[in-house]
Amino acid sequence: MATPTEKPGNGSACPQKPQAAPCSTLWALSHQQDQAARLVADRHYNRRKPGSRKFCPPGQQLVLKAPGQLPDALWVTLNQRPEFTDHQWPDAWVNSLFRNESTSLSSALIIDALAVTRYYWPTLPQQGCITFVDSKKVKPKQHPGFCYLKAGFTHVGFTKVNGLHVFQLLPALFPAPRRAAGDFQLRFF
């Protein structure tokens, strides 16, 4: 089985045998140097150096991409390193990148990505998961981060430096764990 820091298998569909958890059909495991995933990351507004091999910030990452040769959605959960934390949620996981170019609802992708994250990282942090949205860099809309609100997140404020919207999902609201597509390993906790 590919772990969150190893290169995954071929992203094929879930096997037809009993498993420890249900399987996601929306997400396959990836890694921070996956060049097909990097192309999606390069189109995200917070990408600092498009084209560079790595597209994740420092810390432990769980990288998910839509299954297939050319992914059309990408998600990164970051387990923050304290020395790089400069906000009020140091004990939260951070969704540092989410891009949806698929026909799937963004809120459904978010919920499923959180379920897959929970499967591989079963101990939820006290502050849950947060994400930051720059309302100046997303499509103009009445509610920046609306897909996060639909996925169960709450708007909890703004960052001090850039005034980014902060959304948080507390542990009690996390979805049940799900394996990533292509993960054939039985896991027992």
Side-chain angles (χ1 to χ4, degrees):
M1 174 195 72
T3 65
T5 57
E6 296 173 340
K7 293 183 179 182
N10 62 10
S12 60
C14 294
Q16 298 298 314
K17 61 182 182 179
Q19 297 293 330
C23 186
S24 168
T25 58
L26 301 175
W27 295 111
L29 289 174
S30 186
H31 55 92
Q32 69 171 333
Q33 293 188 29
D34 179 330
Q35 293 307 293
R38 180 193 56 81
L39 295 173
V40 179
D42 282 351
R43 294 189 292 273
H44 193 272
Y45 71 81
N46 74 354
R47 183 80 157 112
R48 292 186 181 173
K49 295 180 183 177
S52 61
R53 290 188 54 81
K54 294 183 180 180
F55 55 86
C56 296
Q60 182 183 16
Q61 312 99 12
L62 181 76
V63 180
L64 304 173
K65 66 179 181 179
Q69 293 291 331
L70 298 172
D72 54 8
L74 185 64
W75 171 279
V76 176
T77 306
L78 176 68
N79 193 358
Q80 310 176 77
R81 290 175 48 186
E83 62 267 29
F84 294 109
T85 302
D86 62 352
H87 52 72
Q88 299 173 250
W89 303 271
D91 183 47
W93 292 334
V94 177
N95 167 224
S96 62
L97 188 153
F98 172 55
R99 182 155 181 93
N100 179 16
E101 299 173 352
S102 74
T103 58
S104 298
L105 284 175
S106 290
S107 57
L109 288 169
I110 291 168
I111 292 167
D112 207 53
L114 291 165
V116 172
T117 300
R118 185 175 185 181
Y119 179 76
Y120 294 99
W121 296 348
T123 304
L124 299 175
Q126 288 183 336
Q127 293 180 316
C129 184
I130 60 168
T131 195
F132 306 103
V133 176
D134 188 339
S135 61
K136 295 183 249 27
K137 294 189 178 180
V138 296
K139 292 179 184 177
K141 51 186 119 179
Q142 189 173 0
H143 301 290
F146 185 69
C147 59
Y148 286 96
L149 294 171
K150 295 298 282 182
F153 282 70
T154 303
H155 187 268
V156 293
F158 298 89
T159 60
K160 293 177 186 175
V161 177
N162 296 320
L164 304 177
H165 292 262
V166 182
F167 296 89
Q168 180 180 35
L169 185 73
L170 293 172
L173 300 175
F174 262 70
R178 296 173 65 87
R179 291 177 296 113
D183 180 356
F184 301 115
Q185 179 80 26
L186 283 172
R187 293 178 56 106
F188 300 100
F189 297 100

